[in-house]
Amino acid sequence: IARAPSVIATVIYALPPAIRLTSLGIRQVDAATLEAADAFGATGWQKLVKVQLPLALPSILLGVNQTIMMALGIVVIAALIGAGGLGWEVLDALRRLRVGQALEAGLAIVFMAVIFDRVSAGFARGSQPRRQGQASARRASLRENAPGWLLNYVFWSGVLIFVLVFVLVDADRGLLRGFPAGWRISIREPVDALVEWMKRNLYQLGDLPIGAGPFSDFLVIYLLNPLRRLLQRGLPWPVLIGLVGLVAHHAGGWRLALGSVLGMVALGLLGMWEQSMDTLSQVLVAVLLAVVIGVPLGVWAARSDRVEALLRPVLDFLQTIPPFVYLAPVIMLFHVGRVPGIIASVLYALPPLVRLTNLGIRQVAPAAVEAADAFGATVWQKLRKVQLPLALPSIMMGVNQTVMMVLAMVIIAGLVGGGALGLEAVNGLSRNQLGRGLEAGLAIVSIAMILDRLTQAWAGGRPGA
């Protein structure tokens, strides 16, 4: 236990977005640009370093951003095996249902994530290749604007002098041994009071069918229960496996169909068919809600720089706040059951879908958009027939990431009454029944691999073909 295994687990969990988005960015480099590099006699290494990587930089940086967010998002789970730090603060607060204390630690994680995000983005902007003429013009501008250039150095010199004076003068007062406790601004009491108010006033607004209670009832009665009955009892298991195989064959060919069928059969062989179908119904509902909310937000952000700027800190907050922090207020509003896990899953998985939809639409070739304008296309026609189809690989990659992040919340949903595979895994670990926990874990992996390959195939990669 302790920090070393926590670091290893965090790396394993946070690595896939960096790999996938790097691959996606390089594959989406314009073919004409690569042909031009070949025509000039560029080697494979030169083409990669000077053409593909610079042009794929936005997608690569988004992968780095997602990796940072996911690494910081797992700190609470790492606290379960002795990682300590902010994760333990969140976990301890939630065990006692102290939402304010959990939010304080969660905000500290958010601030760290925002700092890492902005610094990495700044380095990326500074490392982007510039043409020689632009670099020369910038150097000439700096020479002409010498007072501003000197003022920059004077400012940072003043900051350095202030820090040195503070160290020398106040070292004997103990201020440098830790952040002064008297400077602390506590938000615990206001947050706890707000949660209690929400619990009393937002469960249902008078006699109107509006509020957390009616919404929870709608999800359970009209979505979760019918879908679970359909998957568990409504369709015979051979028919369901066959339907999955047909969908996989249509999306990616016979290899993907064969792998999907074998994965579905494995769920039954592991003795986890009923629990797997329950989990699958929750995952499908959570992904549906995320897509209904995330894709329109991504389109809106792509059409407005101001909206993108406003959404960015909100998305950072949603993805970096540990999922456990959502659970206390969500449980108080929706009570224990499947709905709190779904709400937490949607909030946690929404940011990558919004960001990748925004990125995909913004990276559509300007020539294609100008051609649509020249033919007199309306805004809606341009979006539906040009931008969304060309941005589909990026959007489907967002859906893929959403599916994976929803599945990552399965165990957490099991802790708050979600049941299914999450509860099986938790019971196996808590009762020292490693075999039972491993069976549930393998079932989760099987579902994840099927959904992952299907969404990648729909994105156009056709990994199973």
Side-chain angles (χ1 to χ4, degrees), residues 388-404:
L388 286 179
L390 293 178
L392 187 61
S394 184
I395 295 172
M396 289 305 302
M397 183 61 72
V399 174
N400 174 274
Q401 294 296 305
T402 299
V403 171
M404 296 299 103

Side-chain angles (χ1 to χ4, degrees), residues 58 60-69 72 109-125 308-309 311-317 319-320 355:
I60 295 172
L61 288 176
L62 189 57
V64 173
N65 175 272
Q66 294 299 306
T67 296
I68 293 173
M69 299 298 115
L72 286 167
I109 298 172
V110 170
F111 294 152
M112 292 175 60
V114 170
I115 292 170
F116 285 133
D117 175 57
R118 300 302 185 268
V119 170
S120 62
F123 275 116
R125 286 193 299 268
E308 182 187 34
L311 284 178
R312 187 174 184 181
V314 175
L315 297 177
D316 287 344
F317 178 85
Q319 194 169 348
T320 313
R355 284 173 167 154

Side-chain angles (χ1 to χ4, degrees), residues 156 194 205 250 418 441:
W156 288 110
L194 176 62
L205 301 180
H250 176 73

Side-chain angles (χ1 to χ4, degrees), residues 17-31 33-34 46-65 120 124-125 127-129 356 359-360 363 394:
I19 298 174
R20 284 178 169 160
L21 288 171
T22 299
S23 171
L24 177 67
I26 292 176
R27 289 176 181 272
Q28 285 188 327
V29 172
D30 186 46
T33 306
L34 298 179
Q46 289 173 327
K47 188 164 59 175
L48 174 66
V49 173
K50 297 189 175 184
V51 178
Q52 291 174 304
L53 288 179
L55 293 178
L57 192 59
S59 182
I60 295 172
L61 288 176
L62 189 57
V64 173
N65 175 272
S120 62
R125 286 193 299 268
S127 63
Q128 286 179 350
L356 284 167
L359 178 67
Q363 287 188 330
S394 184

